Amino acid sequence: MEWGQAKFEFLALREEIHKALACGKTAKRIHADLKSQNRIKMSQRSFYGWLRHERLSGPLMVAADIASMRTKRTQHHPLPQNTPSPLDNQEDEQ
């Protein structure tokens, strides 16, 4: 395989990979399927590296990642009105 070929393979199948991840397929299964269909030649290690790079800095996010972010954002539970803030106690001690 030529240098840089894995990047082209990954980018060519980017949307398909993200759809498969959103449907619950594992990265290992996706790589194995693409490899057995002779659609990619890259190693599993290279595939994981490009997938990690895509998740950290890529413009496309997996639907599961978006749902996870929404869940984390909506799980914030503010303190009840009657409960004093821990910061109030620190001001009194100084």
Side-chain angles (χ1 to χ4, degrees):
M1 179 183 279
E2 290 183 37
W3 186 87
Q5 187 67 32
K7 180 179 181 178
F8 291 115
E9 290 180 353
F10 188 88
L11 293 177
L13 298 168
R14 173 195 260 172
E15 289 184 41
E16 185 177 337
I17 292 167
H18 283 282
K19 286 178 185 176
L21 288 168
C23 290
K25 276 191 171 182
T26 64
K28 183 177 183 176
R29 178 82 261 155
I30 296 166
H31 178 267
D33 289 346
L34 292 172
K35 190 89 166 182
S36 69
Q37 297 167 4
N38 291 323
R39 297 179 68 198
I40 59 172
K41 293 181 181 179
M42 76 178 90
S43 67
Q44 187 178 37
R45 181 178 180 172
S46 184
F47 181 79
Y48 285 174
W50 281 107
L51 188 59
R52 188 177 314 108
H53 174 72
E54 182 78 11
R55 284 181 171 168
L56 293 176
S57 64
L60 294 177
M61 294 185 74
V62 180
D65 292 339
I66 294 169
S68 173
M69 287 173 56
R70 286 182 183 153
T71 304
K72 288 177 186 173
R73 201 173 27 197
T74 59
Q75 287 181 344
H76 174 70
H77 301 289
L79 292 172
Q81 296 273 345
N82 299 339
T83 306
S85 167
L87 297 176
D88 293 338
N89 293 340
Q90 288 179 354
E91 291 174 2
D92 294 339
E93 294 171 2
Q94 293 178 358

Coordinates of all heavy atoms in Angstrom, one line a residue:
M1 N 0.8 -1.2 0.0 CA 0.0 0.0 0.0 C 0.9 1.2 0.0 O 1.9 1.3 0.7 CB -0.9 0.0 1.2 CG -1.8 1.2 1.3 SD -2.8 1.2 2.8 CE -4.1 0.1 2.4
E2 N 0.5 2.2 -0.8 CA 1.3 3.4 -0.9 C 1.0 4.3 0.4 O 0.0 4.2 1.0 CB 0.9 4.2 -2.1 CG 1.3 3.6 -3.4 CD 1.0 4.5 -4.6 OE1 1.0 5.7 -4.5 OE2 0.6 3.9 -5.6
W3 N 2.0 5.2 0.7 CA 1.9 6.1 1.8 C 0.7 7.0 1.5 O 0.5 7.5 0.5 CB 3.2 6.9 2.0 CG 3.1 7.7 3.2 CD1 3.5 7.4 4.5 CD2 2.7 9.1 3.3 NE1 3.3 8.4 5.3 CE2 2.8 9.5 4.6 CE3 2.2 10.0 2.4 CZ2 2.4 10.7 5.1 CZ3 1.8 11.3 2.8 CH2 1.9 11.6 4.2
G4 N -0.2 7.1 2.5 CA -1.4 8.0 2.4 C -2.6 7.3 1.9 O -3.7 7.9 1.8
Q5 N -2.5 6.1 1.4 CA -3.6 5.4 0.8 C -4.7 5.1 1.8 O -5.9 5.2 1.5 CB -3.1 4.1 0.2 CG -4.2 3.3 -0.6 CD -4.6 4.1 -1.9 OE1 -3.8 4.7 -2.5 NE2 -5.9 3.9 -2.2
A6 N -4.4 4.8 3.0 CA -5.4 4.6 4.1 C -6.3 5.8 4.3 O -7.5 5.6 4.4 CB -4.7 4.2 5.4
K7 N -5.7 7.0 4.2 CA -6.5 8.2 4.4 C -7.6 8.3 3.2 O -8.7 8.6 3.5 CB -5.6 9.4 4.3 CG -6.3 10.7 4.5 CD -5.4 11.9 4.5 CE -6.1 13.2 4.7 NZ -5.2 14.4 4.7
F8 N -7.1 8.0 2.0 CA -8.1 8.1 0.9 C -9.2 7.0 1.0 O -10.3 7.3 0.7 CB -7.4 7.9 -0.4 CG -6.5 9.1 -0.8 CD1 -5.1 9.0 -0.8 CD2 -7.0 10.4 -1.0 CE1 -4.3 10.1 -1.2 CE2 -6.2 11.5 -1.3 CZ -4.9 11.3 -1.4
E9 N -8.8 5.8 1.5 CA -9.8 4.8 1.7 C -10.8 5.2 2.7 O -12.0 5.0 2.5 CB -9.1 3.5 2.1 CG -8.3 2.8 1.0 CD -7.7 1.5 1.4 OE1 -7.7 1.2 2.6 OE2 -7.1 0.9 0.5
F10 N -10.3 5.7 3.8 CA -11.2 6.1 4.9 C -12.1 7.2 4.5 O -13.3 7.2 4.7 CB -10.4 6.5 6.1 CG -11.2 6.8 7.3 CD1 -11.6 5.7 8.2 CD2 -11.8 8.0 7.6 CE1 -12.4 5.9 9.3 CE2 -12.6 8.2 8.7 CZ -12.9 7.2 9.6
L11 N -11.6 8.3 3.8 CA -12.4 9.4 3.4 C -13.4 9.0 2.4 O -14.6 9.5 2.4 CB -11.5 10.5 2.9 CG -10.6 11.2 3.9 CD1 -9.7 12.2 3.3 CD2 -11.4 11.8 5.0
A12 N -13.1 8.1 1.5 CA -14.0 7.6 0.5 C -15.2 6.9 1.1 O -16.3 6.9 0.6 CB -13.3 6.7 -0.5
L13 N -15.0 6.2 2.3 CA -16.1 5.5 2.9 C -16.6 6.1 4.2 O -17.3 5.5 5.0 CB -15.5 4.1 3.2 CG -15.2 3.2 2.0 CD1 -14.4 2.0 2.4 CD2 -16.4 2.9 1.2
R14 N -16.2 7.4 4.4 CA -16.5 8.1 5.6 C -18.0 8.0 6.0 O -18.3 7.7 7.2 CB -16.0 9.5 5.5 CG -16.4 10.4 6.6 CD -16.3 11.9 6.2 NE -15.1 12.4 6.7 CZ -14.6 13.6 6.4 NH1 -15.3 14.4 5.5 NH2 -13.5 14.1 6.9
E15 N -18.8 8.4 5.1 CA -20.3 8.4 5.5 C -20.8 7.1 5.8 O -21.6 6.9 6.8 CB -21.1 9.1 4.3 CG -20.8 10.6 4.2 CD -21.7 11.2 3.1 OE1 -22.9 10.8 3.0 OE2 -21.2 12.0 2.4
E16 N -20.4 6.1 5.0 CA -20.8 4.7 5.3 C -20.3 4.2 6.7 O -21.1 3.5 7.4 CB -20.3 3.8 4.2 CG -20.7 2.4 4.3 CD -20.3 1.5 3.1 OE1 -19.9 2.0 2.1 OE2 -20.2 0.3 3.3
I17 N -19.1 4.6 7.0 CA -18.5 4.2 8.3 C -19.3 4.8 9.4 O -19.7 4.2 10.4 CB -17.0 4.6 8.4 CG1 -16.2 3.7 7.4 CG2 -16.5 4.4 9.8 CD1 -14.8 4.2 7.2
H18 N -19.6 6.1 9.3 CA -20.4 6.8 10.3 C -21.8 6.3 10.5 O -22.3 6.2 11.6 CB -20.4 8.3 10.1 CG -19.1 9.0 10.4 ND1 -18.8 9.3 11.7 CD2 -18.1 9.4 9.7 CE1 -17.6 9.8 11.7 NE2 -17.1 9.9 10.5
K19 N -22.4 5.9 9.4 CA -23.8 5.3 9.4 C -23.8 4.0 10.1 O -24.6 3.7 10.9 CB -24.4 5.2 8.0 CG -24.8 6.5 7.4 CD -25.3 6.3 6.0 CE -25.6 7.6 5.3 NZ -26.1 7.4 3.9
A20 N -22.7 3.2 9.8 CA -22.6 1.9 10.5 C -22.4 2.1 12.0 O -23.0 1.3 12.8 CB -21.5 1.1 9.9
L21 N -21.6 3.0 12.4 CA -21.4 3.3 13.8 C -22.6 3.8 14.5 O -23.0 3.3 15.6 CB -20.3 4.3 14.0 CG -18.8 3.9 13.7 CD1 -17.9 5.1 13.7 CD2 -18.4 2.9 14.8
A22 N -23.4 4.6 13.8 CA -24.7 5.1 14.3 C -25.7 4.0 14.5 O -26.5 4.0 15.4 CB -25.2 6.2 13.4
C23 N -25.6 3.0 13.7 CA -26.5 1.8 13.8 C -26.0 0.8 14.8 O -26.7 -0.2 15.0 CB -26.6 1.1 12.4 SG -27.5 2.1 11.2
G24 N -24.9 1.1 15.5 CA -24.4 0.2 16.6 C -23.4 -0.8 16.2 O -23.0 -1.6 17.1
K25 N -22.9 -0.8 15.0 CA -21.8 -1.7 14.6 C -20.5 -1.2 15.3 O -20.2 0.0 15.5 CB -21.5 -1.7 13.1 CG -22.4 -2.6 12.4 CD -21.9 -2.7 10.9 CE -22.7 -3.8 10.2 NZ -22.1 -4.0 8.8
T26 N -19.7 -2.1 15.7 CA -18.4 -1.8 16.3 C -17.4 -1.5 15.2 O -17.5 -1.9 14.0 CB -17.8 -3.0 17.1 OG1 -17.6 -4.1 16.2 CG2 -18.8 -3.4 18.2
A27 N -16.3 -0.7 15.6 CA -15.3 -0.4 14.6 C -14.6 -1.7 14.1 O -14.3 -1.8 12.9 CB -14.3 0.5 15.3
K28 N -14.4 -2.6 14.9 CA -13.8 -3.9 14.5 C -14.6 -4.6 13.5 O -14.1 -5.1 12.5 CB -13.6 -4.8 15.8 CG -12.9 -6.1 15.5 CD -12.7 -6.9 16.7 CE -11.9 -8.2 16.4 NZ -11.6 -8.9 17.7
R29 N -16.0 -4.6 13.7 CA -16.8 -5.3 12.7 C -16.9 -4.5 11.4 O -16.8 -5.2 10.3 CB -18.3 -5.3 13.3 CG -19.3 -6.0 12.4 CD -19.3 -7.5 12.4 NE -18.5 -8.0 11.3 CZ -17.9 -9.1 11.3 NH1 -17.9 -9.9 12.3 NH2 -17.3 -9.5 10.2
I30 N -16.9 -3.2 11.4 CA -16.9 -2.4 10.2 C -15.6 -2.7 9.4 O -15.7 -2.9 8.2 CB -17.1 -0.9 10.5 CG1 -18.4 -0.6 11.2 CG2 -16.9 -0.1 9.3 CD1 -18.5 0.7 11.8
H31 N -14.5 -2.6 10.1 CA -13.2 -2.9 9.4 C -13.2 -4.3 8.8 O -12.8 -4.5 7.6 CB -12.0 -2.7 10.4 CG -10.7 -3.0 9.7 ND1 -10.2 -4.3 9.7 CD2 -9.9 -2.3 9.0 CE1 -9.0 -4.3 9.1 NE2 -8.8 -3.0 8.6
A32 N -13.6 -5.3 9.5 CA -13.6 -6.7 9.0 C -14.5 -6.8 7.8 O -14.2 -7.5 6.8 CB -14.1 -7.6 10.1
D33 N -15.7 -6.2 7.9 CA -16.6 -6.2 6.7 C -16.0 -5.6 5.5 O -16.1 -6.2 4.4 CB -18.0 -5.6 7.1 CG -18.8 -6.4 8.1 OD1 -18.5 -7.6 8.3 OD2 -19.8 -5.8 8.6
L34 N -15.5 -4.4 5.6 CA -14.9 -3.7 4.5 C -13.7 -4.5 3.9 O -13.5 -4.5 2.7 CB -14.5 -2.3 4.9 CG -15.7 -1.3 5.2 CD1 -15.1 0.0 5.8 CD2 -16.5 -1.1 4.0
K35 N -12.9 -5.0 4.8 CA -11.7 -5.8 4.4 C -12.2 -7.1 3.6 O -11.6 -7.4 2.6 CB -10.9 -6.1 5.6 CG -9.6 -6.7 5.4 CD -8.5 -5.6 5.2 CE -7.2 -6.2 5.3 NZ -6.1 -5.2 5.3
S36 N -13.2 -7.8 4.2 CA -13.6 -9.0 3.5 C -14.3 -8.7 2.1 O -14.2 -9.6 1.3 CB -14.6 -9.8 4.4 OG -15.8 -9.1 4.5
Q37 N -14.8 -7.5 2.0 CA -15.4 -7.1 0.7 C -14.4 -6.5 -0.2 O -14.7 -6.1 -1.3 CB -16.5 -6.1 0.9 CG -17.7 -6.7 1.7 CD -18.6 -5.5 2.2 OE1 -18.4 -4.4 1.9 NE2 -19.6 -5.9 3.0
N38 N -13.1 -6.5 0.2 CA -12.0 -5.9 -0.6 C -12.2 -4.5 -1.0 O -11.8 -4.0 -2.0 CB -11.7 -6.8 -1.9 CG -11.2 -8.1 -1.6 OD1 -10.4 -8.3 -0.7 ND2 -11.6 -9.1 -2.3
R39 N -12.9 -3.8 0.0 CA -13.1 -2.3 -0.3 C -12.0 -1.5 0.4 O -11.9 -0.3 0.0 CB -14.5 -2.0 0.3 CG -15.6 -2.7 -0.5 CD -17.0 -2.4 0.0 NE -17.3 -1.1 -0.3 CZ -18.3 -0.4 0.3 NH1 -19.0 -1.0 1.3 NH2 -18.6 0.8 0.0
I40 N -11.3 -2.1 1.3 CA -10.1 -1.4 1.9 C -9.0 -2.3 2.0 O -9.2 -3.6 2.0 CB -10.5 -0.8 3.3 CG1 -10.9 -1.9 4.3 CG2 -11.5 0.3 3.2 CD1 -11.0 -1.5 5.7
K41 N -7.8 -1.8 2.0 CA -6.6 -2.6 2.2 C -5.9 -2.2 3.5 O -4.9 -2.9 3.9 CB -5.6 -2.3 1.0 CG -6.1 -2.9 -0.3 CD -5.1 -2.6 -1.4 CE -5.6 -3.1 -2.7 NZ -4.7 -2.9 -3.8
M42 N -6.3 -1.1 4.2 CA -5.6 -0.6 5.3 C -5.7 -1.6 6.5 O -6.7 -2.4 6.6 CB -6.1 0.7 5.8 CG -7.5 0.7 6.5 SD -8.0 2.3 7.0 CE -8.9 2.9 5.6
S43 N -4.7 -1.6 7.4 CA -4.7 -2.4 8.6 C -5.8 -2.0 9.5 O -6.3 -0.8 9.5 CB -3.4 -2.4 9.3 OG -3.1 -1.1 9.8
Q44 N -6.1 -2.8 10.5 CA -7.1 -2.5 11.5 C -6.5 -1.3 12.4 O -7.3 -0.4 12.7 CB -7.4 -3.7 12.4 CG -8.5 -3.5 13.4 CD -8.8 -4.7 14.2 OE1 -7.8 -5.4 14.6 NE2 -10.0 -4.9 14.5
R45 N -5.3 -1.3 12.6 CA -4.6 -0.3 13.4 C -4.8 1.1 12.7 O -5.1 2.1 13.4 CB -3.2 -0.6 13.7 CG -2.4 0.4 14.5 CD -1.0 -0.1 14.7 NE -0.3 0.9 15.5 CZ 0.9 0.8 16.0 NH1 1.5 -0.4 15.8 NH2 1.4 1.7 16.7
S46 N -4.5 1.1 11.4 CA -4.7 2.3 10.7 C -6.1 2.8 10.7 O -6.4 4.0 10.8 CB -4.1 2.1 9.3 OG -4.2 3.3 8.5
F47 N -7.0 1.9 10.5 CA -8.5 2.2 10.5 C -8.9 2.8 11.8 O -9.5 3.8 11.8 CB -9.3 0.9 10.2 CG -10.8 1.1 10.2 CD1 -11.4 1.6 9.0 CD2 -11.6 0.8 11.3 CE1 -12.7 1.8 9.0 CE2 -12.9 1.0 11.2 CZ -13.5 1.5 10.1
Y48 N -8.4 2.2 12.9 CA -8.7 2.8 14.2 C -8.1 4.2 14.4 O -8.8 5.1 15.0 CB -8.2 1.9 15.3 CG -9.0 0.6 15.6 CD1 -8.5 -0.3 16.5 CD2 -10.2 0.3 14.9 CE1 -9.2 -1.5 16.7 CE2 -10.8 -0.8 15.2 CZ -10.3 -1.7 16.1 OH -11.0 -2.9 16.3
G49 N -6.9 4.4 13.9 CA -6.3 5.7 14.0 C -7.1 6.7 13.2 O -7.3 7.8 13.7
W50 N -7.5 6.4 12.0 CA -8.3 7.4 11.2 C -9.7 7.6 11.9 O -10.2 8.7 11.9 CB -8.4 7.0 9.8 CG -7.2 7.3 9.1 CD1 -6.2 6.5 8.6 CD2 -6.7 8.6 8.7 NE1 -5.2 7.2 8.1 CE2 -5.5 8.5 8.1 CE3 -7.2 9.9 8.9 CZ2 -4.7 9.6 7.7 CZ3 -6.5 11.0 8.5 CH2 -5.3 10.8 7.9
L51 N -10.3 6.6 12.4 CA -11.5 6.7 13.1 C -11.4 7.6 14.3 O -12.2 8.5 14.6 CB -12.1 5.4 13.5 CG -13.5 5.3 14.1 CD1 -14.5 5.9 13.1 CD2 -13.9 3.9 14.4
R52 N -10.3 7.5 15.1 CA -10.1 8.3 16.3 C -9.8 9.7 15.8 O -10.4 10.7 16.4 CB -8.8 7.8 17.0 CG -8.6 8.4 18.4 CD -7.4 7.8 19.1 NE -7.4 6.4 19.1 CZ -6.5 5.6 18.4 NH1 -5.6 6.1 17.7 NH2 -6.6 4.3 18.5
H53 N -9.0 9.9 14.8 CA -8.8 11.3 14.3 C -10.1 11.9 13.8 O -10.3 13.1 14.1 CB -7.8 11.2 13.1 CG -7.6 12.5 12.4 ND1 -6.9 13.5 13.0 CD2 -8.0 12.9 11.2 CE1 -6.9 14.5 12.1 NE2 -7.6 14.2 11.0
E54 N -10.9 11.2 13.2 CA -12.2 11.7 12.7 C -13.1 12.1 13.9 O -13.8 13.1 13.9 CB -12.9 10.6 11.9 CG -14.2 11.1 11.3 CD -14.1 11.9 10.0 OE1 -13.0 12.1 9.5 OE2 -15.1 12.5 9.6
R55 N -13.1 11.3 14.9 CA -14.0 11.6 16.1 C -13.5 12.8 16.8 O -14.3 13.6 17.3 CB -14.0 10.4 17.0 CG -14.9 9.3 16.5 CD -14.9 8.1 17.5 NE -15.9 7.2 17.1 CZ -16.0 6.0 17.7 NH1 -15.2 5.6 18.6 NH2 -16.9 5.1 17.3
L56 N -12.2 13.0 16.9 CA -11.7 14.1 17.7 C -11.7 15.4 16.9 O -12.0 16.5 17.5 CB -10.2 13.8 18.1 CG -10.0 12.7 19.1 CD1 -8.5 12.4 19.3 CD2 -10.7 13.0 20.4
S57 N -11.5 15.4 15.6 CA -11.4 16.6 14.9 C -12.3 16.7 13.6 O -12.3 17.8 13.0 CB -9.9 16.9 14.5 OG -9.5 15.9 13.6
G58 N -12.9 15.7 13.3 CA -13.7 15.6 12.1 C -15.0 16.4 12.1 O -15.6 16.6 13.2
P59 N -15.5 16.9 11.0 CA -16.7 17.7 10.9 C -17.9 16.8 11.1 O -18.9 17.3 11.6 CB -16.7 18.3 9.5 CG -15.8 17.3 8.7 CD -14.8 16.8 9.7
L60 N -17.8 15.5 10.8 CA -19.0 14.7 10.9 C -19.0 14.0 12.3 O -18.0 13.5 12.7 CB -19.0 13.5 9.9 CG -19.2 14.0 8.4 CD1 -19.0 12.8 7.5 CD2 -20.5 14.6 8.2
M61 N -20.1 14.0 12.9 CA -20.2 13.4 14.2 C -21.2 12.3 14.1 O -22.2 12.3 13.4 CB -20.7 14.4 15.3 CG -19.7 15.5 15.6 SD -20.2 16.5 16.9 CE -19.9 15.4 18.3
V62 N -20.9 11.2 14.8 CA -21.8 10.1 14.8 C -23.1 10.4 15.6 O -23.0 11.2 16.6 CB -21.1 8.9 15.5 CG1 -22.0 7.6 15.5 CG2 -19.8 8.6 14.8
A63 N -24.2 9.9 15.1 CA -25.5 10.3 15.8 C -25.5 9.9 17.3 O -26.0 10.6 18.1 CB -26.6 9.5 15.1
A64 N -24.8 8.8 17.6 CA -24.7 8.4 19.0 C -23.9 9.5 19.8 O -24.3 9.7 21.0 CB -24.1 7.1 19.1
D65 N -22.9 10.0 19.2 CA -22.1 11.1 19.9 C -23.0 12.3 20.2 O -22.9 12.9 21.2 CB -20.9 11.5 19.1 CG -19.8 10.3 19.0 OD1 -19.9 9.5 19.9 OD2 -19.0 10.4 18.1
I66 N -23.8 12.7 19.2 CA -24.6 13.9 19.3 C -25.7 13.6 20.4 O -25.9 14.5 21.2 CB -25.3 14.2 18.0 CG1 -24.2 14.6 16.9 CG2 -26.4 15.3 18.1 CD1 -24.7 14.7 15.5
A67 N -26.3 12.4 20.4 CA -27.3 12.1 21.4 C -26.6 12.1 22.8 O -27.2 12.6 23.8 CB -27.9 10.7 21.1
S68 N -25.4 11.6 22.9 CA -24.7 11.6 24.2 C -24.4 13.0 24.7 O -24.6 13.3 25.9 CB -23.4 10.8 24.0 OG -22.6 10.9 25.2
M69 N -24.0 13.9 23.8 CA -23.8 15.3 24.2 C -25.1 15.9 24.7 O -25.1 16.7 25.6 CB -23.2 16.1 23.0 CG -21.8 15.7 22.6 SD -21.2 16.5 21.1 CE -21.5 18.2 21.5
R70 N -26.2 15.7 24.0 CA -27.5 16.2 24.4 C -27.9 15.7 25.8 O -28.3 16.5 26.6 CB -28.6 15.9 23.4 CG -28.4 16.7 22.1 CD -29.5 16.3 21.2 NE -29.4 17.0 19.9 CZ -29.8 16.6 18.8 NH1 -30.5 15.5 18.7 NH2 -29.6 17.4 17.7
T71 N -27.6 14.4 26.0 CA -28.0 13.9 27.3 C -27.2 14.5 28.4 O -27.7 14.9 29.5 CB -27.8 12.3 27.3 OG1 -28.5 11.8 26.2 CG2 -28.2 11.7 28.6
K72 N -25.9 14.6 28.2 CA -25.0 15.2 29.2 C -25.4 16.7 29.5 O -25.4 17.1 30.6 CB -23.6 15.2 28.8 CG -23.0 13.8 28.8 CD -21.6 13.8 28.2 CE -21.0 12.4 28.1 NZ -19.7 12.3 27.5
R73 N -25.8 17.4 28.4 CA -26.2 18.8 28.6 C -27.5 18.9 29.4 O -27.6 19.9 30.1 CB -26.3 19.4 27.2 CG -26.2 20.9 27.2 CD -26.2 21.4 25.8 NE -26.9 20.6 24.8 CZ -26.7 20.7 23.5 NH1 -25.9 21.5 23.0 NH2 -27.4 19.9 22.7
T74 N -28.4 18.0 29.2 CA -29.7 18.1 29.9 C -29.7 17.5 31.2 O -30.7 17.6 31.9 CB -30.8 17.5 29.0 OG1 -30.5 16.1 28.8 CG2 -31.0 18.2 27.7
Q75 N -28.7 16.9 31.7 CA -28.6 16.2 33.0 C -28.2 17.1 34.1 O -28.0 16.7 35.2 CB -27.8 15.0 32.9 CG -28.4 13.8 32.2 CD -27.5 12.6 32.2 OE1 -26.4 12.7 32.5 NE2 -28.1 11.5 31.8
H76 N -28.0 18.4 33.8 CA -27.5 19.4 34.8 C -28.7 19.6 35.8 O -29.8 19.9 35.4 CB -27.1 20.7 34.2 CG -26.8 21.7 35.2 ND1 -25.7 21.7 36.0 CD2 -27.4 22.9 35.5 CE1 -25.7 22.7 36.7 NE2 -26.7 23.5 36.5
H77 N -28.4 19.4 37.0 CA -29.4 19.6 38.1 C -29.0 20.7 39.0 O -28.1 20.5 39.8 CB -29.7 18.3 38.9 CG -30.1 17.2 38.1 ND1 -31.4 17.1 37.5 CD2 -29.5 16.1 37.7 CE1 -31.5 16.0 36.8 NE2 -30.3 15.3 36.9
P78 N -29.5 21.9 38.9 CA -29.1 23.0 39.8 C -29.5 22.7 41.2 O -30.4 22.0 41.5 CB -29.8 24.2 39.2 CG -31.0 23.7 38.4 CD -30.6 22.3 38.0
L79 N -28.8 23.4 42.1 CA -29.2 23.3 43.6 C -30.6 23.9 43.8 O -30.9 24.9 43.2 CB -28.1 24.0 44.4 CG -26.7 23.4 44.5 CD1 -25.8 24.4 45.2 CD2 -26.8 22.1 45.1
P80 N -31.3 23.3 44.7 CA -32.6 23.9 45.1 C -32.4 25.3 45.6 O -31.3 25.6 46.2 CB -33.2 23.0 46.1 CG -32.4 21.7 46.0 CD -31.1 22.1 45.4
Q81 N -33.4 26.2 45.5 CA -33.3 27.6 45.9 C -32.9 27.7 47.4 O -32.2 28.6 47.8 CB -34.6 28.3 45.7 CG -35.0 28.3 44.2 CD -34.4 29.5 43.5 OE1 -34.0 30.5 44.2 NE2 -34.4 29.6 42.2
N82 N -33.4 26.8 48.3 CA -33.2 27.0 49.7 C -31.8 26.5 50.2 O -31.4 26.7 51.3 CB -34.2 26.2 50.5 CG -35.6 26.7 50.2 OD1 -35.8 27.9 49.8 ND2 -36.6 25.9 50.4
T83 N -31.1 25.8 49.3 CA -29.8 25.2 49.7 C -28.7 26.3 49.5 O -28.5 26.8 48.4 CB -29.4 24.0 48.8 OG1 -30.5 23.1 48.9 CG2 -28.2 23.3 49.3
P84 N -27.9 26.5 50.6 CA -26.8 27.5 50.4 C -25.7 27.0 49.5 O -25.4 25.8 49.5 CB -26.3 27.8 51.8 CG -26.8 26.6 52.6 CD -28.0 26.0 51.9
S85 N -25.1 27.8 48.8 CA -24.0 27.5 48.0 C -22.8 27.2 48.8 O -22.5 27.9 49.8 CB -23.7 28.6 47.0 OG -22.5 28.4 46.3
P86 N -21.9 26.2 48.4 CA -20.7 26.0 49.2 C -19.8 27.2 49.2 O -19.0 27.4 50.1 CB -20.0 24.8 48.4 CG -21.1 24.2 47.6 CD -22.1 25.2 47.4
L87 N -19.9 28.0 48.2 CA -19.1 29.2 48.1 C -19.5 30.2 49.2 O -18.6 31.0 49.6 CB -19.2 29.9 46.7 CG -18.7 29.0 45.5 CD1 -19.0 29.7 44.2 CD2 -17.2 28.7 45.7
D88 N -20.7 30.2 49.6 CA -21.2 31.2 50.7 C -20.4 30.9 52.0 O -20.0 31.8 52.7 CB -22.7 31.0 50.9 CG -23.5 31.5 49.7 OD1 -23.0 32.3 48.9 OD2 -24.6 31.1 49.6
N89 N -20.2 29.6 52.3 CA -19.4 29.3 53.5 C -18.0 29.7 53.4 O -17.4 30.1 54.5 CB -19.5 27.7 53.7 CG -20.9 27.3 54.0 OD1 -21.7 28.1 54.5 ND2 -21.2 26.0 53.8
Q90 N -17.4 29.7 52.3 CA -16.0 30.0 52.1 C -15.8 31.5 52.4 O -14.9 32.0 53.0 CB -15.5 29.7 50.7 CG -15.3 28.2 50.5 CD -14.8 28.0 49.1 OE1 -14.7 28.9 48.3 NE2 -14.5 26.7 48.8
E91 N -16.8 32.3 52.0 CA -16.7 33.8 52.2 C -16.8 34.1 53.7 O -16.1 35.0 54.1 CB -17.8 34.5 51.4 CG -17.6 34.4 49.9 CD -18.8 35.0 49.2 OE1 -19.8 35.5 49.8 OE2 -18.8 35.0 47.9
D92 N -17.6 33.4 54.4 CA -17.8 33.6 55.8 C -16.5 33.3 56.6 O -16.2 34.0 57.6 CB -18.9 32.8 56.4 CG -20.3 33.3 55.9 OD1 -20.3 34.4 55.4 OD2 -21.2 32.5 55.9
E93 N -15.7 32.3 56.2 CA -14.6 31.9 56.9 C -13.4 32.8 56.7 O -12.5 32.8 57.5 CB -14.1 30.5 56.4 CG -15.2 29.4 56.8 CD -14.9 28.1 56.1 OE1 -13.8 27.9 55.4 OE2 -15.6 27.1 56.3
Q94 N -13.4 33.6 55.7 CA -12.3 34.5 55.4 C -12.3 35.8 56.1 O -12.8 36.4 56.8 CB -12.2 34.8 53.9 CG -11.9 33.6 53.1 CD -11.8 33.9 51.6 OE1 -12.1 35.0 51.2 NE2 -11.5 32.9 50.8

